[in-house]
Amino acid sequence: MYEIEKFIDGPNKNLKERSIKVLGIDLGTTNSIVSEIIWNPPEPPTCRVIEIPQPTEAGEYISPLVPSVVVQLGDDKIWVGEGAKRLMAFPEKAGLYVEKNLFFETKNDMGRRKKYYRAPENLNHASKIAGVILSFLMEKATNFHTITYDNVCVTVPASFQINQRRDTLLACKYANINLKDDDLLDEPIAALIDYAMNNNMEDVFSNRKKIKCLVFDFGGGTCDVSVMELGKDYERKKITISELSVSRYHRLGGGDIDSAIVHEILIPELLKENNLSRLDLSWAEKKKGLEPQLLGTAEALKISLSKEIDKLIKFNKYLSSDKSQIIVKQPSIRCKLGKREFILSNPSLTAEEFEKILSPFIDTEFLFLREDEYRITQSIFSPITNALESAGVKANEIDFCLLVGGSSLIPQVKMSVQKFFKNGKVGFYSNYLDMQVAVSRGAAWNSLLKFLNGKPFIQPILHDGIDIVTEGKKRLNLIPPHAELPFPDENSFEKITLYVPSIEKNVQKLRLEIVGSREGQTILNEIWKLPVIANGGDEIILEYRITSGKQFECRAYLLKSPEEYLELTVENPLVNVVNPNLTYLKIEEYEEYLRNKNGGTRYDIEIFIKLANLYGELNQYEKAIDYLKLALKKLNRGDAEILNLMGIFYERLGDHERAEKAYIEASKYSSWDGPIFNLALNYYHRGNMEKAIQLLDNHIKRKDVPSLVLKALCLGGMRRIIEKNEILLEATKKANIENMSTWELEWLKKAAELLRDEKLKEEVEREISKRSDIKKYTQDNVLYPSSEKEPIN
């Protein structure tokens, strides 16, 4: 029997009046699940996970787990769930194309402006895909009958930002589910509620009134962490839960482990079996063609091997075993790319290979994100430590850690978390299905509790405080950490008075900078052009609030001119996406531009080249080459700049033959010496000195410093030392340091090093340093407001 009374706030009239029906929906990245609670007091409530019929080519498939995959077959036939997932393995056979009529893991696009430009209007955004999934779940859960539920709750990652939550609410609206902000429940809280309902919590409390708890939700698409404080009133037999912090949003999940298996084990084996080299297939063919067809096999290998390892651990045999001999296999698979077919006869995975793949995911030292063009790798302890730091709690102060999400069943993940929280109890679901459905069941219990109590079961709080930066870079706190939301009360604003700095006259603009109290991350940084000229001591009124949905709003005005004010809204003040550096932001901007232009045209060649260079900065050379190939296709002719850049990227991948071919082709389309110089450099790196010198002598018209130094390097490689030094001296005599580019200066520096000319080397280094391309951010000289009114001289 569930002890629902321990969560109810006193007597409730709804308990005796009628039957109560509520739903909880886990709208997951990988799978979605629905749970229902029916309560006919005084009988105990019953919670069940609903088995959902799903269409497949082999007939109806019934399971509580509904893969979050949507396909459109024809103009009006849409499949959701298992059948859609199975078609992912053979997309071309079914005429499916990613983000056109095949959609999966679109939860990662919630809150973004990204549109699926090839998709029909009803499927062209992540919120619409989520709406289709929710509609399907509701229809199947009610068996197409009109059933009125007293309350519905939908879960989201705890780290979802306001724009992501807003898209989730929009998806519910598309599915005719009317939800308020507080009907969205954080997934870790849902899991904890379910665990509390199904387990005796006495062992966890051990006669303590309060304990600190961390919920680690490692699902298929996200890694979500929440730190909470659990309280127990022993006299009233009540349990309370308050949230202390959540991790930042991490697009990290078990699917990334599957991708690692695909790209580190399965694709290399497929290439080997089909006599292909690494670059015989393009980035798009591997990422968008092979990966979807192999992910199911990778996931099956992961689950099967995890079960085998778990079995060996229980019998104390795993640690002493030869990991290379612990192996699991899957049936052979044929992958299609257009008319070509490739076979992978014996997909397999050893424990030794699996541990190598898992190593960066469970590393406690290196927590930073690593991303290549195929997948993301990051330690699960990055969101864990982030949430702990935000809560001001140390790992050894955690009394209870709850593991949820299918990926936390991986034995190495479980063991590493247990080792990390060695002073606390670690709870988990031993049954795979219970682990998968815990969040939806918790959502159903929350839905019931909200209906009974008339308010959210968990009080939303602001995990960090919010400050305004004032004169002298001092900070003034606006909202304290852990403030209950909304702040202040609903539909009202807090108000403070600031001042124009006292020594200033004729002030026309001020800087409004709002930051997080703990880490100082920028929430907003705006230049306010004042409606009238202000002078020192003039009063500024700042009104502000933060909603229950964590949206920060503020407005500022001069007291002497209140009718004209600056009004600002920030949708994601304190929860950030991990590592969104400037390069990634530029890439997203350019790719969104191309999506809005249906993939771009021949007039967007510069955008393709910029994207290639940006991916090159990230060392994602295969993806960079794909953009350059696309640019050539759009241009429908050769281009020296594009082909030369392709050669450089092939070189960095170690494919000297393809690089040579690209440089030769580039030289046909321009009199520019760049491709020939790079070709000579290519020959030098491959040890073909004579061919490099021949190119430099016969085809480089301008005997500049770089070509002379490269020739000297080739002569040195042939042990023609006297000629080498003569050429180097010739290069230094030609040098005009002030008029040389930074690239040319680097070659001159090489010449100085080879001649051991320290004076010349220092002179070149000074010049490089002086004109460094590193751009330092400097704020313009705009005043901050003052928090105090100072006497005016």
Side-chain angles (χ1 to χ4, degrees):
M1 176 178 174
Y2 303 110
E3 297 183 66
I4 185 69
E5 288 81 7
K6 63 188 175 185
F7 295 108
I8 299 175
D9 290 345
N12 193 292
K13 64 177 183 178
N14 289 327
L15 291 181
K16 296 180 181 179
E17 289 182 352
R18 59 181 175 81
S19 174
I20 301 169
K21 296 185 182 73
V22 296
L23 274 187
I25 301 175
D26 175 9
L27 183 62
T29 309
T30 306
N31 293 301
S32 295
I33 302 148
V34 186
S35 290
E36 178 188 63
I37 292 177
I38 298 177
W39 195 2
N40 296 300
E43 296 298 319
T46 58
C47 178
R48 72 181 184 105
V49 182
I50 299 175
E51 301 270 344
I52 302 292
Q54 303 161 54
T56 74
E57 288 184 314
E60 197 170 64
Y61 174 87
I62 300 176
S63 170
L65 305 183
V66 180
S68 301
V69 183
V70 175
V71 298
Q72 183 175 39
L73 303 169
D75 293 333
D76 55 1
K77 186 178 179 183
I78 292 178
W79 275 10
V80 176
E82 183 64 28
K85 181 182 176 181
R86 292 178 188 179
L87 291 175
M88 278 176 60
F90 308 100
E92 293 190 7
K93 179 182 175 183
L96 300 178
Y97 301 92
V98 177
E99 296 181 359
K100 179 181 180 182
N101 52 7
L102 167 61
F103 309 90
F104 57 95
E105 295 189 0
T106 54
K107 185 175 176 179
N108 287 332
D109 292 330
M110 294 288 267
R112 296 174 64 194
R113 290 179 296 172
K114 176 181 177 180
K115 283 192 174 182
Y116 309 132
Y117 71 91
R118 298 187 301 168
E121 180 68 24
N122 63 320
L123 297 171
N124 68 354
H125 190 265
S127 60
K128 295 180 180 180
I129 301 298
V132 169
I133 295 171
L134 286 168
S135 291
F136 176 80
L137 294 174
M138 290 297 289
E139 287 170 359
K140 296 296 183 180
T142 60
N143 198 22
F144 295 95
H145 291 101
T146 303
I147 296 178
T148 301
Y149 284 98
D150 294 294
N151 202 52
V152 178
C153 174
V154 176
T155 62
V156 292
S159 48
F160 251 24
Q161 301 169 73
I162 185 64
N163 46 346
Q164 293 165 304
R165 292 170 187 266
R166 183 182 295 163
D167 270 359
T168 307
L169 290 171
L170 186 59
C172 292
K173 187 176 179 181
Y174 289 142
N176 294 315
I177 306 171
N178 295 316
L179 261 63
K180 298 177 181 177
D181 280 5
D182 55 15
D183 286 317
L184 296 180
L185 178 67
D186 292 351
E187 290 164 4
I189 293 176
L192 184 60
I193 293 171
D194 180 69
Y195 188 86
M197 287 293 181
N198 288 281
N199 294 272
N200 186 351
M201 298 294 284
E202 298 299 329
D203 292 342
V204 176
F205 277 97
S206 299
N207 296 318
R208 291 170 293 187
K209 289 186 177 181
K210 288 185 178 181
I211 60 170
K212 289 186 172 63
C213 168
L214 181 142
V215 181
F216 172 64
D217 183 0
F218 191 25
T222 54
C223 188
D224 213 19
V225 180
S226 184
V227 180
M228 288 173 263
E229 186 173 76
L230 275 65
K232 183 166 184 180
D233 185 330
Y234 286 89
E235 291 182 7
R236 297 174 61 224
K237 296 182 179 180
K238 303 292 181 187
I239 290 177
T240 59
I241 302 174
S242 59
E243 200 171 42
L244 300 180
S245 73
V246 297
S247 61
R248 290 190 177 97
Y249 179 52
H250 284 67
R251 288 176 183 168
L252 170 69
D256 296 297
I257 297 173
D258 299 340
S259 292
I261 294 170
V262 167
H263 292 285
E264 292 187 26
I265 305 296
L266 300 183
I267 287 181
E269 190 58 37
L270 181 145
L271 294 174
K272 181 180 177 182
E273 185 173 347
N274 292 274
N275 298 314
L276 297 170
S277 73
R278 174 187 175 187
L279 295 175
D280 282 341
L281 297 180
S282 68
W283 171 83
E285 288 172 324
K286 284 182 276 190
K287 178 66 180 174
K288 297 185 177 181
L290 292 180
E291 184 185 292
Q293 298 179 62
L294 293 171
L295 277 173
T297 298
E299 183 184 21
L301 288 169
K302 176 188 72 177
I303 292 171
S304 180
L305 189 55
S306 293
K307 289 179 179 178
E308 184 65 26
I309 292 171
D310 199 40
K311 206 182 300 178
L312 291 169
I313 289 172
K314 286 175 181 174
F315 289 102
N316 295 316
K317 291 184 177 180
Y318 181 67
L319 294 178
S320 59
S321 299
D322 181 353
K323 309 292 191 299
S324 65
Q325 297 304 307
I326 303 171
I327 186 169
V328 293
K329 299 180 179 180
Q330 284 291 303
S332 64
I333 183 170
R334 292 181 180 274
C335 299
K336 289 189 175 183
L337 294 175
K339 295 181 179 179
R340 294 173 295 169
E341 186 174 272
F342 307 98
I343 188 167
L344 182 57
S345 303
N346 189 27
S348 62
L349 182 66
T350 68
E352 182 179 54
E353 292 169 332
F354 194 39
E355 291 210 338
K356 184 180 177 183
I357 284 170
L358 286 173
S359 177
F361 288 98
I362 54 176
D363 195 328
T364 56
E365 296 295 326
F366 301 117
L367 308 182
F368 55 86
L369 180 138
R370 284 159 281 188
E371 182 175 5
D372 60 24
E373 56 257 75
Y374 294 106
R375 60 189 183 86
I376 287 174
T377 304
Q378 187 169 28
S379 171
I380 59 172
F381 292 102
S382 179
I384 287 174
T385 55
N386 171 249
L388 287 171
E389 288 168 5
S390 181
V393 176
K394 296 178 181 177
N396 61 9
E397 295 174 336
I398 292 295
D399 302 299
F400 177 62
C401 173
L402 176 62
L403 299 182
V404 289
S407 301
S408 63
L409 284 171
I410 297 170
Q412 290 90 336
V413 170
K414 192 191 303 181
M415 288 189 295
S416 64
V417 172
Q418 286 174 321
K419 184 178 178 181
F420 191 77
F421 294 110
K422 55 188 175 184
N423 290 347
K425 179 183 176 182
V426 176
F428 50 85
Y429 294 84
S430 56
N431 180 284
Y432 178 76
L433 184 59
D434 281 341
M435 181 78 82
Q436 293 284 78
V437 303
V439 169
S440 77
R441 290 192 312 210
W445 287 117
N446 181 78
S447 189
L448 176 62
L449 290 165
K450 182 171 184 268
F451 174 71
L452 295 173
N453 293 331
K455 63 181 181 180
F457 178 50
I458 305 297
Q459 170 64 51
I461 64 167
L462 185 69
H463 305 295
D464 191 3
I466 292 180
D467 298 347
I468 184 169
V469 180
T470 61
E471 187 181 20
K473 293 292 186 78
K474 296 175 185 176
R475 288 202 210 164
L476 177 66
N477 183 250
L478 300 178
I479 304 174
H482 307 297
E484 293 187 354
L485 301 181
F487 180 94
D489 296 334
E490 199 76 53
N491 301 321
S492 63
F493 282 80
E494 194 75 1
K495 184 185 294 187
I496 61 167
T497 302
L498 302 168
Y499 304 92
V500 175
S502 60
I503 61 171
E504 300 297 329
K505 294 182 179 179
N506 300 324
V507 177
Q508 297 182 26
K509 56 186 177 179
L510 288 170
R511 181 181 296 281
L512 283 182
E513 184 175 358
I514 309 291
V515 299
S517 298
R518 187 169 62 86
E519 296 182 355
Q521 70 267 41
T522 299
I523 294 171
L524 65 84
N525 192 343
E526 293 285 331
I527 305 298
W528 178 23
K529 293 182 179 179
L530 302 179
V532 295
I533 292 175
N535 295 302
D538 284 354
E539 293 185 19
I540 302 163
I541 305 301
L542 178 70
E543 297 178 343
Y544 59 92
R545 69 181 179 188
I546 188 161
T547 68
S548 57
K550 299 181 182 178
Q551 178 168 288
F552 180 77
E553 301 171 353
C554 71
R555 56 191 182 213
Y557 56 88
L558 288 167
L559 187 61
K560 66 182 182 181
S561 182
E563 66 281 353
E564 296 184 65
Y565 54 84
L566 174 71
E567 192 167 36
L568 298 166
T569 299
V570 181
E571 295 182 342
N572 52 345
L574 290 169
V575 181
N576 303 315
V577 176
V578 174
N579 295 332
N581 68 34
L582 188 59
T583 303
Y584 286 113
L585 293 176
K586 285 181 179 177
I587 285 172
E588 187 165 326
E589 178 186 339
Y590 290 139
E591 289 186 332
E592 182 63 17
Y593 169 84
L594 291 177
R595 279 192 290 268
N596 288 331
K597 293 194 70 177
N598 293 326
T601 68
R602 62 192 300 268
Y603 301 107
D604 301 309
I605 297 304
E606 287 303 315
I607 300 294
F608 290 109
I609 295 173
K610 284 178 180 178
L611 279 166
N613 278 310
L614 288 168
Y615 277 114
E617 286 179 26
L618 299 173
N619 299 326
Q620 297 184 16
Y621 302 123
E622 289 187 51
K623 201 165 185 178
I625 288 168
D626 257 35
Y627 268 113
L628 295 175
K629 286 181 177 178
L630 195 54
L632 289 174
K633 185 178 179 181
K634 299 284 184 185
L635 203 57
N636 201 28
R637 60 176 173 79
D639 180 90
E641 181 185 2
I642 295 172
L643 289 162
N644 181 66
L645 195 53
M646 282 178 71
I648 291 170
F649 291 144
Y650 277 128
E651 197 96 52
R652 291 176 186 173
L653 286 167
D655 193 329
H656 300 297
E657 288 75 17
R658 279 189 172 88
E660 177 184 3
K661 183 179 178 182
Y663 292 140
I664 291 171
E665 193 67 22
S667 68
K668 297 176 183 177
Y669 294 95
S670 173
S671 57
W672 172 46
D673 287 338
I676 296 298
F677 178 87
N678 286 333
L679 182 58
L681 189 60
N682 173 287
Y683 290 146
Y684 166 73
H685 286 144
R686 295 161 72 182
N688 197 337
M689 309 301 176
E690 289 186 4
K691 205 166 184 179
I693 291 172
Q694 185 181 359
L695 269 177
L696 292 168
D697 286 344
N698 297 337
H699 297 282
I700 300 289
K701 302 177 183 67
R702 195 163 58 95
K703 306 303 177 187
D704 54 8
V705 170
S707 60
L708 289 169
V709 177
L710 178 54
K711 182 176 180 180
L713 287 170
C714 294
L715 290 168
M718 299 168 71
R719 301 187 183 279
R720 291 159 62 177
I721 306 303
I722 295 174
E723 292 174 80
K724 165 194 159 184
N725 289 334
E726 288 175 350
I727 295 291
L728 288 173
L729 286 170
E730 183 184 346
T732 59
K733 289 175 183 176
K734 280 196 167 199
N736 185 341
I737 289 178
E738 291 185 357
N739 294 328
M740 294 172 72
S741 68
T742 304
W743 176 75
E744 290 171 320
L745 287 172
E746 292 290 352
W747 282 97
L748 181 59
K749 179 182 173 183
K750 185 69 178 176
E753 290 171 347
L754 292 169
L755 290 169
R756 298 182 181 178
D757 187 335
E758 291 300 320
K759 183 180 177 182
L760 176 60
K761 182 183 174 183
E762 289 175 8
E763 189 180 352
V764 172
E765 286 177 340
R766 277 197 304 272
E767 181 64 26
I768 291 173
S769 178
K770 188 172 76 175
R771 63 166 81 169
S772 173
D773 290 331
I774 300 173
K775 296 178 181 177
K776 296 180 179 177
Y777 173 75
T778 55
Q779 289 188 326
D780 49 2
N781 189 26
V782 180
L783 296 168
Y784 287 93
S786 174
S787 58
E788 299 176 0
K789 187 170 185 177
E790 300 171 7
I792 301 173
N793 295 328

